[in-house]
């Protein structure tokens, strides 16, 4: 059989469909000529449009161009027609991409929305679907360097293993999200997966970004520290516990007391150090093995880096203790402009000279830079950083490449203006961002350090007292008096809510409260009544103080500016602690339901809904705890199924439709989930769970007059659905011998419907929309919020995203877009059950596996109530 011929539509056109009528073919569509259908003498032929599956007659040869089979496979995986056509038009690039094979270094765009490409190594190339007809080519890439851990797979896709890597270190991408990594040319080839690493005698494979010479216990080594070169003996050389991605570290017993390390790493003892002054822990790339007849001074002088026009300084001396501020020379030039000080400037290399000198520096310098990046936070737009010594503090406003540099550059807006060397956001006449005059500084991104005033470990005695406006003054959030509604739905007005230092700052076990507040108020106004209720004669001063604090210091700033400092939340925690007569709210880890109960009590809020068991008085509730004992459930239940089963089993109903409903997922204690996976329902239908509401017969769709709780668990019809019947259907159903013991009972109908024998023309469905999900994993709470009606409009919030603050530290909150979760929320439970959870993107896995509370609202009822 001859191979298929493939074509790409270079312009949109219409053609005759084989089944009759007309087919429109969009620009960028791929077509495959049908078997046995040769082109006519006029050049016409039949082809299948691969994107739609329709067969069309192609009568204009100018509308399509032929592709090779391999190129067709590459482009078939690209879903956007314009991107597909753009790649086709770049023939040389497409040829290079087509030549990529397993083991090649590449730069890859992890998600379609990220925009930034990171380093990786091709581990697989080919189709990933089990369908034998699938010819599209997907690339499986293992992420390396600073991108390690940012993927979403261990090499598996839909339960099938295509390559092996550590969890969340792999991605599968089409050809339009990958490019050859030219910067890796000349470097040794990447190691094949599965190669063993030595433990007692460490030598990284030559392709490892942190590679360095052999070292073993007992070796004599030296390293550069300020203006000296201390020496010592290797007592530890291995990966750090649970930190393999940062490479090998060396513990050194120093000859002189200039160190700061005691032999421990995060409570793990790595080696014996007699006193911290005689110990230091360094990346292996920072350490030089002493050679016979060669002094440390000789090593130092021969390995000193070339002078550069960019700011340059050593990395921190220890990863356990704060970096020493003396590590950078104040005489070095800070930016791409002339030096800041009045002293005579050093000779600045031209770009060509600098590139030549940097190439001479060799592979070790590149590995050192990679190690520096591993030692710091992932810096991005709005990250707070410092450079130089003494430190100069600022915020990153721009990251990118400049025409005359080979490295990534950061544009900083400094806290204080400098008299020289700075601009208002321009570099050589081109504007990259806006800021006041003399505050813009351009530096190498790798030379930026996280602001040590914010992330440095502190040893103050009381973390609660430490959470004050003086210590947190750099990261304070402004008070906003004017009432601020949530941002308008959509993607256009949420830029101020994305990135680092966004959301509510975590501090001292506050994640349970931060994430709950973020769910409640960021994108929904359904609970704004607790912010606006006027004080009455029964309210004391504490009520007004608490209400105004929540409104003007937390909710309004969050909505307007996208950030709330931890001191504001601490003030609320102190009020709750006093009101609850409990010492734990300012320092201990609490549960969200405990916080909600106390907050509603302090603000004297009415319950969010009333719920009633048959024949009993209604009971007011703030949230509803779903339980699953005694009712059937699927392996992957939805929230709708769990709620219905819980209410039916307990014989409960809502007295009226609530405007806000908070549902707590079933758990066996806080740390034990009742279900491995729960799918949050995007829409919750409460029609059959309300009292005095007209309902349809589940068989004939007529007006229902009877309901039967015993029928709920009947597997023979409508498994897992509430059963209500008209009178005739109820009689027929309960004639069956297996249901004769059931006890159907009459429904309570509105007075105007109780005498009718049919349904009204329109039965309103009482539905609610999902607007937030609170999740917990290993005692840490995070939040997912929906910022519009679109199914893909989801954000992920973590108040302690940096994970460096600890019990006494300053945490950095972060908000990121997580469009990928929508695909899994729209799947059926059966489809979800067939997925390999380990292969899911991290956010999707967390949403499905760690849901703790789901927040629903009815915007129309919220306005009414």
């Amino acid at each position: 059989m001859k191979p298929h011929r493939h074509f790409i539509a270079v312009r949109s056109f219409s053609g005759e469909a084989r089944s009759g009528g007309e087919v429109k073919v969009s620009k960028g569509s791929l077509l495959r000529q049908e078997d046995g259908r040769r082109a006519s003498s006029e050049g016409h032929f039949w082809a299948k449009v691969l994107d739609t599956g329709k067969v069309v007659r192609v009568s204009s040869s100018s509308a399509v161009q032929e592709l090779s089979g391999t190129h067709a496979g590459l482009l078939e995986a690209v879903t956007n027609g314009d991107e597909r056509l753009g790649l086709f038009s770049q023939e040389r690039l497409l040829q290079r991409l087509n030549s990529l094979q397993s083991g090649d270094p590449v730069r890859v765009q992890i998600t379609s929305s990220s925009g930034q490409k990171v380093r990786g190594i091709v581990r697989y190339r080919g189709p990933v679907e089990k369908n034998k007809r699938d010819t599209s080519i997907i690339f499986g890439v293992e992420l390396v360097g600073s991108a390690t851990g940012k993927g979403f797979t261990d090499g598996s896709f839909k339960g099938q293993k295509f390559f092996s890597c550590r969890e969340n270190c792999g991605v599968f991408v089409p050809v339009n999200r990958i490019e050859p990594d030219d910067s890796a040319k000349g470097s040794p080839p990447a190691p094949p997966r599965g190669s063993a690493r030595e433990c007692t005698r460490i030598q990284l494979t030559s392709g490892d970004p942190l590679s360095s010479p052999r070292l073993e216990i007992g070796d004599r080594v030296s390293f550069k520290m300020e203006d000296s070169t201390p020496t010592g003996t290797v007592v530890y050389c291995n990966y750090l516990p649970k930190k393999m991605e940062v490479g090998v570290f060396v513990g050194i017993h120093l000859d002189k007391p200039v160190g700061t390390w005691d032999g421990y790493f995060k409570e793990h003892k790595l080696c014996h150090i007699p006193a911290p002054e005689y110990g230091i822990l360094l990346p292996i790339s920072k350490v030089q093995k002493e050679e016979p007849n060669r002094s440390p001074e000789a090593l130092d002088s021969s390995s000193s880096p070339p002078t550069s026009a960019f700011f340059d300084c050593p990395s921190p001396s220890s990863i356990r203790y704060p970096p020493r501020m003396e590590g950078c020379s104040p005489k070095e030039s800070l930016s791409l402009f002339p030096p800041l000080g009045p002293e005579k400037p050093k000779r600045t290399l031209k770009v060509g000279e600098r590139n030549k000198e940097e190439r001479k520096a060799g592979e070790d310098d590149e590995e050192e830079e990679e190690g520096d990046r591993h030692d710091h936070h992932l810096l991005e737009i709005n990250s707070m950083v410092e450079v130089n010594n003494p430190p100069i503090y600022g915020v990153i406003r721009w990251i990118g490449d400049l025409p005359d540099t080979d490295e990534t550059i950061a544009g900083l807006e400094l806290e204080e203006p400098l008299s020289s060397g700075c601009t208002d956001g321009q570099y050589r006449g081109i504007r990259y961002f806006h800021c006041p005059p003399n505050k813009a500084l351009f530096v190498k991104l790798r030379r930026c350090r996280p602001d040590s005033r914010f992330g440095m470990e502190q040893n103050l005695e009381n973390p609660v007292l430490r959470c004050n406006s003086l210590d947190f003054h750099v990261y304070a959030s402004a008070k906003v008096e004017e009432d601020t509604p949530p941002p308008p739905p959509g993607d256009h007005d949420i830029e101020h809510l994305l990135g680092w230092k966004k959301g509510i700052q975590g501090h001292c076990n506050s994640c349970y409260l931060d994430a709950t507040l973020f769910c409640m108020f960021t994108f929904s106004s359904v609970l704004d009544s607790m912010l606006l209720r006027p004080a009455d004669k029964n309210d004391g001063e504490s009520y007004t103080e608490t209400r105004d604090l929540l409104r003007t210091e937390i909710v309004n700033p969050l909505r307007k500016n996208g950030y709330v400092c931890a001191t504001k939340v601490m003030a609320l925690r102190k009020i709750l602690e006093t009101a609850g007569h409990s010492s734990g709210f300012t320092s201990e880890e609490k549960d969200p339901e405990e916080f909600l109960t106390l907050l509603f009590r302090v603000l004297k809020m009415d319950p969010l809904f009333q719920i009633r068991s048959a024949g009993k008085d209604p009971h007011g509730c703030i949230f509803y705890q779903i339980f699953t004992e005694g009712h059937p459930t699927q392996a992957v239940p939805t929230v709708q199924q769990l709620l219905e089963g819980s209410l039916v089993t307990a014989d409960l109903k809502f007295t009226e439709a609530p405007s806000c409903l908070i549902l707590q997922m079933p758990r066996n204690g806080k740390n034990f989930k009742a279900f491995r996976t729960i799918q949050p329902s995007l829409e919750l239908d409460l029609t059959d769970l309300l009292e005095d509401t007209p309902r349809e017969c589940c068989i004939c769709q007529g007006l229902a007059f009877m309901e039967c709780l015993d029928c709920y668990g009947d597997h023979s019809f409508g498994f897992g659905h509430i059963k209500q019947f008209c009178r005739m259907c109820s009689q027929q159903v309960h004639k069956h011998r297996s249901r004769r013991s059931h006890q159907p009972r009459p429904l309570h109908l509105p007075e105007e419907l109780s005498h009718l024998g049919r349904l009204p023309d329109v039965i309103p469905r009482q539905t609610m929309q999902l607007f937030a999900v609170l999740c917990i994993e290993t005692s840490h709470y995070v939040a997912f919020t929906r910022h519009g009606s679109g199914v893909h409009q989801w954000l992920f919030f973590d108040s302690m995203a940096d994970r460096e603050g600890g019990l006494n530290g300053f945490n950095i909150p972060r908000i990121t877009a997580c469009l990928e979760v929508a695909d899994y929320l729209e799947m059926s439970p059966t489809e979800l059950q067939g997925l390999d959870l380990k292969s899911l993107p991290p956010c999707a896995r967390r949403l499905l596996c760690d849901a703790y509370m789901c927040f629903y609202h009815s915007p129309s009822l919220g306005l009414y109530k």
Side-chain angles (χ1 to χ4, degrees):
M1 180 188 296
K2 292 184 179 181
H4 291 290
R5 297 175 65 192
H6 292 83
F7 301 84
I8 186 171
V10 295
R11 62 178 175 84
S12 300
F13 68 93
S14 298
E16 177 189 350
R18 179 186 289 180
S19 57
E22 188 178 68
V23 173
K24 291 184 178 180
V25 180
S26 301
K27 179 175 66 174
S29 297
L30 290 180
L31 301 95
R32 183 181 65 208
Q33 186 172 355
E34 289 288 88
D35 287 338
R37 299 275 181 175
R38 298 181 179 178
S40 65
S41 57
E42 295 84 8
H44 302 170
F45 61 90
W46 292 94
K48 183 176 183 178
V49 183
L50 299 183
D51 300 317
T52 62
K54 296 181 179 179
V55 178
V56 61
R57 185 179 185 186
V58 180
S59 56
S60 174
S61 58
S62 64
V64 298
Q65 289 191 27
E66 188 166 358
L67 289 166
S68 69
T70 307
H71 287 181
L74 290 171
L75 296 177
E76 187 179 352
V78 180
T79 56
N80 183 283
D82 292 331
E83 292 185 25
R84 186 186 285 162
L85 194 57
L87 263 180
F88 171 73
S89 65
Q90 303 178 65
E91 184 176 353
R92 293 184 62 184
L93 174 60
L94 194 57
Q95 290 286 0
R96 291 192 64 197
L97 294 170
N98 186 37
S99 66
L100 289 175
Q101 299 296 332
S102 180
D104 288 344
V106 292
R107 300 191 74 84
V108 59
Q109 185 178 342
I110 296 177
T111 64
S112 58
S113 60
S114 64
Q116 184 180 5
K117 288 186 171 69
V118 298
R119 294 177 54 206
I121 298 172
V122 176
R123 297 299 185 193
Y124 172 77
R125 169 188 167 140
V128 293
E129 296 291 345
K130 295 181 180 179
N131 185 355
K132 294 183 179 180
R133 296 182 179 180
D134 180 27
T135 58
S136 60
I137 296 175
I138 294 291
F139 290 87
V141 179
E142 178 185 6
L143 304 178
V144 298
S146 59
T148 302
K150 296 180 183 177
F152 51 80
T153 180
D154 60 355
S156 301
F157 184 79
K158 293 186 177 180
Q160 187 174 356
K161 196 80 167 180
F162 292 94
F163 65 95
S164 295
C165 67
R166 293 198 299 273
E167 188 173 358
N168 296 331
C169 290
V171 293
F172 289 96
V173 295
V175 69
N176 60 318
R177 282 168 42 194
I178 198 172
E179 64 185 31
D181 188 359
D182 295 329
S183 65
K185 284 190 175 181
S187 300
R193 290 301 306 168
S195 57
R197 291 184 171 98
E198 297 179 21
C199 293
T200 58
R201 182 178 177 88
I202 295 294
Q203 180 190 23
L204 297 182
T205 54
S206 57
D208 195 302
L210 297 176
S211 60
S212 68
R214 285 176 178 265
L215 283 179
E216 60 182 350
I217 306 300
D219 279 348
R220 294 287 298 168
V221 293
S222 63
F223 58 94
K224 187 173 177 59
M225 175 186 282
E226 305 171 25
D227 298 326
S228 64
T229 308
T231 58
T233 303
V234 175
V235 291
Y236 176 85
C237 186
N238 211 329
Y239 294 94
L240 300 177
K242 300 181 181 180
K243 285 284 185 179
M244 288 190 65
E245 68 274 11
V246 301
V248 172
F249 274 72
V250 180
I252 304 171
H253 185 184
L254 299 170
D255 297 333
K256 297 181 180 180
V258 294
T260 55
W261 184 54
D262 59 2
Y264 285 80
F265 177 75
K266 293 186 177 179
E267 300 181 354
H268 293 274
K269 185 175 182 179
L270 305 184
C271 58
H272 174 69
I273 298 291
E277 295 81 8
Y278 285 88
I280 197 165
L281 184 66
L282 296 172
I284 193 170
S285 59
K286 304 292 184 186
V287 179
Q288 294 171 318
K289 184 176 180 179
E290 286 190 3
E291 299 177 15
N293 303 322
R294 190 173 183 187
S295 66
E297 288 75 14
L299 287 171
D300 180 39
S301 61
S302 65
S303 61
S304 59
T307 306
S308 171
F310 295 93
F311 166 68
D312 212 355
C313 69
S315 65
S317 61
S318 168
I319 64 169
R320 179 175 173 84
Y321 291 92
R324 294 174 180 253
M325 293 306 171
E326 300 86 353
C328 311
S329 171
K331 295 182 181 180
E332 289 185 17
S333 175
L334 260 180
S335 71
L336 307 180
F337 300 94
L340 299 174
E343 66 273 15
K344 183 179 179 180
K346 296 181 180 180
R347 183 177 80 89
T348 300
L349 296 178
K350 295 179 180 179
V351 175
E353 295 176 301
R354 184 174 69 249
N355 291 345
K356 185 177 180 181
E357 288 294 318
E358 288 176 349
R359 283 195 295 271
K360 288 181 181 180
E363 207 171 274
D364 289 343
D365 184 55
E366 295 177 0
E367 293 159 359
E368 179 176 338
E369 294 168 9
E370 186 68 29
D372 289 344
R373 283 193 290 270
H374 277 302
D375 288 343
H376 297 82
H377 298 290
L378 177 64
L379 299 178
E380 62 177 14
I381 302 299
N382 294 328
S383 290
M384 295 159 289
V385 297
E386 63 182 44
V387 292
N388 206 20
N389 178 49
I392 295 175
Y393 302 101
V395 178
I396 296 178
R397 297 303 188 196
W398 175 83
I399 296 176
D401 299 322
L402 294 176
D404 57 353
T405 64
D406 295 328
E407 290 202 42
T408 301
I409 304 301
L412 311 185
E413 180 181 348
L414 303 180
E415 286 186 3
E416 301 294 337
L418 298 178
S419 57
S420 63
C422 293
T423 70
D424 62 350
Q426 297 185 67
Y427 173 65
R428 294 189 177 178
I430 300 176
R431 179 169 297 282
Y432 293 91
F433 63 96
H434 292 269
C435 72
N438 299 321
K439 278 194 168 186
L441 180 69
F442 292 85
V443 298
K444 292 180 180 179
L445 178 63
R446 66 182 174 88
R447 295 311 183 193
C448 296
R449 307 185 299 271
D451 192 324
S452 59
R453 300 170 299 175
F454 196 59
M456 191 179 297
E457 290 187 10
Q458 302 287 333
N459 293 318
L460 297 185
E461 65 285 351
N462 191 327
V464 178
L465 295 178
R466 180 174 173 235
C467 190
N468 56 66
S469 58
L470 180 62
D471 279 332
F472 280 64
H473 72 283
V474 179
Y475 306 100
S477 52
K479 185 177 183 179
V480 178
E481 292 282 358
E482 65 272 15
D483 293 333
T484 307
D491 299 319
H492 302 295
D493 296 295
I494 63 167
E495 290 300 320
H496 69 291
L497 280 163
L498 293 174
W500 288 99
K501 197 193 168 188
K502 295 298 180 181
I504 302 173
Q505 183 186 21
H507 176 72
C508 198
N509 293 322
S510 68
C511 62
Y512 73 95
L513 189 145
D514 306 325
T516 306
L517 286 173
F518 193 85
C519 287
M520 293 168 66
F521 294 110
T522 311
F523 293 104
S524 177
S525 59
V526 71
L527 294 170
D528 280 11
S529 57
M530 69 172 57
L531 310 175
L532 305 172
R533 181 178 73 82
D536 58 34
K537 61 181 181 180
N538 297 319
D539 295 318
E541 292 183 2
S542 62
Y543 165 76
T544 306
E545 178 189 1
T546 307
R547 180 202 61 191
D548 292 347
L549 170 67
L550 183 62
R551 181 174 59 86
T552 65
E553 304 275 16
I554 297 177
V555 177
N556 288 348
L558 177 62
R559 291 172 174 175
K560 183 177 181 179
N561 304 321
Y563 174 68
V564 178
C565 175
T567 57
K568 315 296 183 180
V569 178
M570 181 58 75
L572 178 62
R573 296 170 75 182
K574 290 177 179 178
I575 291 175
L576 296 176
E577 183 173 81
T578 303
H581 306 289
S582 169
S583 60
F585 270 97
T586 57
S587 58
E588 296 175 8
E589 183 181 300
K590 297 287 185 179
D591 295 326
E593 58 269 30
E594 191 174 354
F595 160 64
L596 286 170
T597 301
L598 190 53
L599 181 66
F600 271 66
R601 192 174 82 202
V602 170
L603 293 177
K604 299 182 179 179
M605 289 293 297
D606 292 333
L608 293 179
F609 58 90
Q610 299 279 338
I611 201 165
R612 189 202 315 262
S613 183
K616 298 181 180 179
D617 293 332
H619 178 68
C621 301
I622 300 168
F623 59 89
Y624 178 73
Q625 165 73 68
I626 293 176
F627 60 91
T628 58
E629 293 181 9
H631 70 85
T633 53
Q634 296 180 339
V636 181
T638 66
V639 171
Q640 177 82 42
Q641 293 168 340
L642 291 175
L643 178 62
E644 288 181 357
S646 182
L647 292 178
V648 168
T649 303
D651 196 10
L652 297 171
K653 280 195 173 59
F654 296 105
T655 59
E656 61 178 359
S659 59
C660 180
L661 181 60
I662 302 174
L663 299 175
Q664 186 174 355
M665 298 300 101
R667 301 181 78 91
N668 301 318
K670 184 175 67 173
N671 298 320
F672 300 96
K673 297 177 287 190
F675 295 95
R676 187 170 175 227
T677 307
I678 294 176
Q679 185 181 37
S681 304
L682 291 172
E683 184 176 81
L684 206 60
D685 191 337
L686 301 184
T687 308
D688 296 337
L689 302 174
L690 299 171
E691 289 184 343
D692 302 329
T693 300
R695 293 154 63 181
E696 292 181 349
C697 172
C698 64
I699 295 179
C700 70
Q701 284 73 56
L703 180 62
F705 289 91
M706 307 293 290
E707 67 176 351
C708 182
L709 302 184
D710 298 319
C711 285
Y712 176 77
D714 195 324
H715 291 248
S716 59
F717 72 105
F719 171 73
H721 293 287
I722 294 178
K723 309 299 193 304
Q724 60 269 337
F725 311 96
C726 65
R727 293 186 178 93
M728 182 175 295
C729 289
S730 179
Q731 292 174 3
Q732 291 293 330
V733 165
H734 291 99
K735 285 181 179 179
H736 194 282
R737 61 176 179 270
S738 65
R739 305 188 195 100
R740 289 172 185 169
S741 61
H742 289 189
Q743 297 180 350
R745 64 187 184 191
L747 288 172
H748 296 282
L749 294 175
E751 186 66 28
E752 59 272 19
L753 291 177
S754 58
H755 301 297
L756 294 178
R758 61 179 181 83
L759 281 169
D761 294 335
V762 177
I763 293 185
R765 305 297 298 183
Q766 297 291 348
T767 60
M768 306 187 77
Q769 309 303 315
L770 178 68
F771 71 91
V773 180
L774 182 68
C775 295
I776 181 175
E777 182 183 29
T778 59
S779 298
H780 181 66
Y781 291 92
V782 295
F784 291 86
T785 54
R786 197 174 181 180
H787 61 91
S789 57
V791 70
H792 288 87
Q793 293 172 324
W794 284 90
L795 298 180
F796 172 72
F797 164 65
D798 187 346
S799 67
M800 300 178 177
D802 64 305
R803 294 294 190 278
E804 295 296 330
L807 181 66
N808 299 325
F810 299 83
N811 288 106
I812 304 177
R814 189 185 190 190
I815 302 175
T816 54
C818 51
L819 314 180
E820 64 273 19
V821 303
D823 297 333
Y824 300 92
L825 291 175
E826 289 187 308
M827 286 184 179
S828 68
T830 304
E831 290 175 310
L832 284 177
Q833 187 176 349
L835 294 180
D836 177 12
L837 296 179
K838 291 184 178 181
S839 68
L840 300 185
C843 280
R845 183 171 65 247
R846 201 159 192 179
L847 180 63
L848 295 171
C849 300
D850 300 326
Y852 189 82
M853 279 184 169
C854 291
F855 293 72
Y856 289 87
H857 68 163
S858 173
S860 57
L861 283 177
L863 290 173
Y864 170 75
K865 292 188 176 182

